[in-house]
Amino acid sequence: MKSDKRKRRKKGHIQAAHPGRRRKRRARRLANRQLVRRKRRIGRSRGRRDLRSKGRIAVVYSDASEQEKRPEADAHLLQLAATAGAEAEAAIRGSGETVDKARLQQRWSEWLGQVVPGQVHPAVYESLMRAFVGGAHAGNPEPPDWLLLPESRPASCILTAMNEERTIGSVLEQLVRMPLQEIIVVVNGSADRTRDIAETFEGVKVLHYEKALGHDVGRTLGAKEAQGDLLLFMDADFAVPGELLLPFFLEIRNGADIVLNDISPFVDRFDRRDEVTIMKEFLNRVLDRNDLSVNSLTAVPHVMTRQAAWRIGLEKLAVPPLAQVLALEAGLRVGKGGHVNVVKQNRLRTSNTGAKNPVAEMIIGDHMEALSQLIKLKGPRLAYADTVRQRRR
């Protein structure tokens, strides 16, 4: 009898017994999937800096689940910001001037320094800034989508571009939302309309070179032309929402000389990393800056003060790992800013894809040059003490 039931069950004539077991198996599978997701979230969160341990409130989160924990601006403070914006608008118009980004930026940085002189969370900062802009355009049903900076010092953007006609417009549309003193576009080796599109934007200065300059040479040329006290370095591969750039300037306001793009949440575990990522972290470790993880001047965007750029040497900016070594050895304050996922969004080309591609080989070579310079400065053991070998035997 039992053998007949087994045969019929195999043929699909009757349902399998014990439905409770199936429910338990499904519950176990669901629990396992939830555990895997939790481990992945924990892995992505490693390497992020929690400034609360230092008594600060400027904490940057990248996971959607953690963004819910971000503090909100106090309602009274928001009202103060809106009132200050309205007063700034009245004062500017009263002097016979137009309410533009530059004039509003000056009033905003003065108010922020007086009312919120300490460090501020990026989410709180953005809320206050929008309240200020909204107050300055209270009579306008659609206030401009401006992004005011937390710094009173003028800022310049150096943007390198080569055959980027598909993206240069959207990149510049985000940058012109900010009251930058200037945007310098270094167009080199382009055979498309990159230069023509860039020149249609007001306030954009184009440096045009017929031949390709090299991967990072444009940074040096743009920095030499820049007049701002703060330098924002970017490329035109893809548009970065202006909101993601604000944390970089907040870190400068907090006292940093150089602020790197914190890409550690987007990097996989060590055994799945490529050679370039391994080299970046190795360089930081031998510099005794484990806190920087895989973050490097190789990745844009990043911001530095003009004084820091000159101290490093403008020509050294063309070799980002070398510039990072010189910056840290000079005692410059190097920190991490916002999170821009260049790992996923960088434009794929034949030169930067595949094993031993030219771009990867060039970056690894730059790191070898940086390590060579570091060995000259600190000796062959770098940051590692010689405490194991007994040389007298």
Side-chain angles (χ1 to χ4, degrees), residues 177-191:
R177 296 172 61 197
M178 298 184 290
L180 298 170
Q181 178 176 336
E182 59 189 349
I183 301 174
I184 300 173
V185 183
V186 184
V187 181
N188 63 103
S190 289

Side-chain angles (χ1 to χ4, degrees), residues 53-342:
S53 61
K54 300 181 180 180
R56 304 178 180 181
I57 63 172
V59 186
V60 178
Y61 299 103
S62 65
D63 288 349
S65 59
E66 292 186 339
Q67 286 181 359
E68 299 173 358
K69 305 176 185 178
R70 299 186 305 175
E72 296 181 357
D74 179 75
H76 177 64
L77 197 56
L78 287 172
Q79 183 59 47
L80 288 178
T83 302
E87 293 173 351
E89 185 267 347
I92 294 172
R93 291 194 185 279
S95 62
E97 298 177 322
T98 305
V99 181
D100 58 11
K101 291 193 296 288
R103 293 183 178 89
L104 208 59
Q105 169 66 43
Q106 181 181 359
R107 304 274 178 168
W108 161 250
S109 59
E110 291 174 358
W111 179 86
L112 186 69
Q114 294 172 359
V115 180
V116 192
Q119 298 174 349
V120 57
H121 188 284
V124 174
Y125 173 83
E126 187 177 335
S127 298
L128 293 175
M129 179 268 298
R130 292 193 185 280
F132 186 90
V133 174
H137 297 84
N140 188 348
E142 295 184 4
D145 194 19
W146 293 344
L147 295 173
L148 304 181
L149 303 177
E151 269 282 341
S152 59
R153 290 175 288 180
S156 301
C157 177
I158 294 95
L159 180 68
T160 56
M162 177 180 175
N163 292 328
E164 305 288 4
E165 65 177 3
R166 292 185 297 174
T167 56
I168 186 69
S170 58
V171 172
L172 291 173
E173 284 174 359
Q174 290 296 320
L175 291 175
V176 297
R177 296 172 61 197
M178 298 184 290
L180 298 170
Q181 178 176 336
E182 59 189 349
I183 301 174
I184 300 173
V185 183
V186 184
V187 181
N188 63 103
S190 289
D192 61 4
R193 297 178 56 251
T194 300
R195 176 185 181 182
D196 298 334
I197 296 172
E199 288 177 341
T200 63
F201 284 81
E202 184 178 356
V204 172
K205 180 179 181 180
V206 177
L207 303 180
H208 181 250
Y209 299 89
E210 294 289 344
K211 296 183 179 180
L213 299 172
H215 199 64
D216 298 306
V217 177
R219 300 186 190 185
T220 292
L221 298 175
K224 287 182 178 179
E225 292 289 327
Q227 301 298 314
D229 293 331
L230 306 178
L231 306 179
L232 166 64
F233 292 90
M234 297 184 64
D235 61 37
D237 278 0
F238 64 94
V240 178
E243 289 82 357
L244 296 183
L245 299 175
L246 295 178
F248 292 84
F249 290 98
L250 281 170
E251 282 298 309
I252 290 289
R253 181 179 186 255
N254 294 341
D257 298 306
I258 299 174
V259 183
L260 305 177
N261 180 15
D262 187 6
I263 63 172
S264 53
F266 314 115
V267 175
D268 211 335
R269 68 190 193 195
F270 184 83
D271 61 319
R272 296 180 180 178
R273 296 178 185 178
D274 58 15
E275 298 89 342
V276 170
T277 306
I278 292 172
M279 288 295 293
K280 289 177 181 179
E281 184 166 12
F282 178 74
L283 182 62
N284 286 330
R285 285 184 177 274
V286 298
L287 285 164
D288 201 21
R289 286 299 304 270
N290 294 352
D291 60 300
L292 293 180
S293 184
V294 298
N295 303 308
S296 167
L297 280 172
T298 300
V300 291
H302 54 259
V303 179
M304 68 177 65
T305 64
R306 184 177 181 82
Q307 293 82 356
W310 280 94
R311 191 165 180 182
I312 294 170
L314 297 184
E315 70 282 356
K316 300 297 191 301
L317 298 178
V319 187
L322 176 60
Q324 187 159 331
V325 166
L326 296 175
L328 290 171
E329 288 301 301
L332 296 175
R333 293 162 294 185
V334 180
K336 298 178 289 186
H339 307 278
V340 178
N341 192 352
V342 296

